[in-house]
Amino acid sequence: MARRFSGSFTQQEPIPAEAIDAAVAVLQSGRLHRYNLTPGEAGEVALLEAEYRDWQGSDYCLALTSGGQAIQIALRACGVEPGDAILTNGFTLAPVPGAINAVGGKAVLVEIDENLRLDLDDLTTRVKASGARFLLLSHMRGHLCDMNRLMQICDAAQVTVIEDCAHTMGARWHGTRSGNFGKVACFSTQTYKHMNSGEGGFLTTNDPQLAARATILSGSYMLYGRHGAGPAPEDFDAARYEMPNCSARMDALRAAILRPQLGALDSNITRWNARYEVVERALKGHNRIATIALPEAEQHVGSSIQFRLPDFTADQCRATLDAAATRGVELKWFGAQEPKGFTSSHHSWRYVAAQDLPQTDRIMGTLFDMRLPLSFSEADCALIGELICESVSEVAA
Ligand SMILES: *Cc1c(COP(=O)(O)O)cnc(C)c1O
């Protein structure tokens, strides 16, 4: 009988004891709303915003209810109007086209390359063809494209870059943190990302007027003076009248459990990367498996791992999923006709005008993905790597 892994791919580590204590203190206070403060009290949300701003190295930070809301608010704060064309990755998670749809934008999908990054030649072509003034760049599965070249292309064409950093919190390109390249960046603290508050998100920027617009959009009423990492009062002169309230504030309970997690983020990044390397090493040893190249300039955060089986048919890919599942290894495959769980292809986003992406379709057709929760030990990861290789060999035989 085949060896089997018995761990859970959706089980995160427990919330740290310090965070649980902070959450209990918030509950005991009864003051869960971010603006429900006693005189002189900063509040957990404002403190978290200041700490995240400092960690990220941005000028401003706004805490929100989700990464998806952060993207919607970022798009509106950048001046997206209904009908505007917005470039984005042909391969990303549904909240990305969802946010474009929510603000009335028209998604213009861009091809990805074999290493899952935006194809910058295709980007150049589609910038010209579409006349789009915005790029919502999804650093999908943590893979940063050549950010210097990307910014050159976008700056030359006066395209505003909004970074979706849901998978790159803590990653860097040539030493610069992901999120500090574009006009504004969005992060998620949803359970499966790099910090866990169930749901939650951040928006960061260095533009004070944009930060003011985002703050009013988040539903700050006229209480923006109570923020921890917001712009000066005069930056709100226009925004306070012009921006609608979209009610997407983070609450004190979530902020309380995130603050201690931020303190552990750097060491957790090291732990993820150790796990990633163990699995990657195993996969690299198999001649049918193509791993994803990690460029020298990128400091990656390996909270998930992807690989391709370039010469497999769809039937063989499906059989690989089953062979891995038999061994307790939960893989996701992006080549299925029907959207499943968290995965979908652009063909399933029927609210987006159908687009031709032959290269993306070919790559996604043999693409697999797997989470690497920190609840797995490095020994678990070594076993998982071997079991994936066994599964691929069994199907190839
Ligand atoms: C999770 C995710 C988001 C949005 O995050 P939520 O907090 O779940 O709204 C955006 N983009 C990508 C690529 C994601 O994986």
Side-chain angles (χ1 to χ4, degrees):
M1 214 185 77
R3 284 184 303 163
R4 222 187 120 79
F5 176 65
S6 58
S8 163
F9 283 79
T10 51
Q11 182 61 56
Q12 306 301 325
E13 291 196 296
I15 298 299
E18 197 193 332
I20 294 173
D21 291 345
V24 170
V26 168
L27 291 171
Q28 280 167 340
S29 79
R31 295 190 301 279
L32 275 71
H33 193 283
R34 69 167 297 164
Y35 301 127
N36 186 194
L37 303 167
T38 56
E41 184 185 20
E44 293 285 349
V45 184
L47 291 170
L48 173 66
E49 286 170 338
E51 288 161 6
Y52 195 77
R53 170 201 59 198
D54 294 345
W55 187 85
Q56 176 65 26
S58 59
D59 288 348
Y60 308 107
C61 173
L62 175 68
L64 295 158
T65 45
S66 72
Q69 281 294 333
I71 298 174
Q72 286 183 37
I73 287 173
L75 291 171
R76 293 182 77 150
C78 281
V80 168
E81 307 239 338
D84 282 349
I86 303 173
L87 298 147
T88 196
N89 308 47
F91 168 53
T92 184
L93 205 74
V96 174
I100 293 174
N101 178 273
V103 301
K106 290 205 177 85
V108 177
L109 304 178
V110 180
E111 296 267 31
I112 57 159
D113 66 21
E114 298 198 330
N115 292 309
L116 314 183
R117 296 164 171 87
L118 212 60
D119 179 326
L120 297 184
D121 294 330
D122 190 58
L123 174 66
T124 307
T125 307
R126 292 193 202 236
V127 164
K128 283 208 190 85
S130 67
R133 291 165 42 243
F134 304 94
L135 166 65
L136 172 51
L137 172 64
S138 187
H139 301 303
M140 187 58 177
R141 270 10 213 142
H143 302 293
L144 296 168
C145 51
D146 180 337
M147 288 305 296
N148 302 100
R149 190 174 157 219
L150 178 128
M151 291 309 299
Q152 270 167 13
I153 294 167
C154 291
D155 287 346
Q158 291 181 296
V159 168
T160 299
V161 177
I162 297 107
E163 289 184 69
D164 167 19
C165 302
H167 301 168
T168 53
M169 182 185 274
R172 294 174 190 262
W173 181 264
H174 278 306
T176 299
R177 271 201 205 286
S178 138
N180 293 350
F181 288 89
K183 187 90 171 154
V184 54
C186 305
F187 300 84
S188 172
T189 61
Q190 189 235 77
T191 293
Y192 303 111
K193 311 296 163 85
H194 297 173
M195 290 199 280
N196 177 8
S197 60
E199 305 283 356
F202 296 115
L203 177 156
T204 62
T205 182
N206 293 340
D207 179 327
Q209 304 269 316
L210 193 157
R213 288 193 293 275
T215 304
I216 301 290
L217 283 162
S218 78
S220 68
Y221 303 97
M222 295 301 141
L223 300 170
Y224 46 78
R226 297 185 192 173
H227 278 245
E234 56 273 21
D235 292 314
F236 288 85
D237 286 351
R240 68 204 299 265
Y241 300 108
E242 289 170 5
M243 289 294 114
N245 177 327
C246 301
S247 270
R249 298 166 299 275
M250 183 177 279
D251 58 90
L253 190 54
R254 293 188 213 184
I257 68 172
L258 286 171
R259 291 181 60 212
Q261 293 182 55
L262 180 56
L265 185 52
D266 286 316
S267 70
N268 282 344
I269 288 171
T270 306
R271 295 171 66 216
W272 266 306
N273 288 344
R275 285 157 179 74
Y276 186 96
E277 279 166 31
V278 170
V279 179
E280 187 193 40
R281 199 176 317 128
L283 301 186
K284 276 189 165 162
H286 197 293
N287 64 358
R288 306 299 283 269
I289 300 179
T291 54
I292 306 302
L294 302 183
E296 194 70 48
E298 177 185 276
Q299 271 174 267
H300 185 74
V301 182
S303 53
S304 67
I305 189 162
Q306 296 71 45
F307 63 90
R308 294 181 302 110
L309 299 173
D311 55 8
F312 269 26
T313 64
D315 282 341
Q316 286 176 306
C317 288
R318 227 171 277 121
T320 304
L321 273 187
D322 294 342
T326 306
R327 291 167 172 84
V329 176
E330 199 179 300
L331 295 178
K332 292 180 211 147
W333 173 48
F334 287 98
Q337 290 296 312
E338 287 297 318
K340 198 173 167 216
F342 287 97
T343 65
S344 61
S345 86
H346 67 95
H347 298 289
S348 301
W349 309 332
R350 292 186 192 163
Y351 48 86
V352 171
Q355 296 173 42
D356 225 19
L357 300 167
Q359 181 174 306
T360 299
D361 290 346
R362 179 178 58 76
I363 292 160
M364 287 178 71
T366 62
L367 176 63
F368 292 80
D369 177 44
M370 184 178 79
R371 286 198 186 110
L372 289 170
L374 292 174
S375 56
F376 291 177
S377 67
E378 288 178 41
D380 290 339
C381 292
L383 174 61
I384 290 166
E386 286 174 32
L387 294 175
I388 293 173
C389 291
E390 260 179 45
S391 307
V392 172
S393 296
E394 182 184 280
V395 173

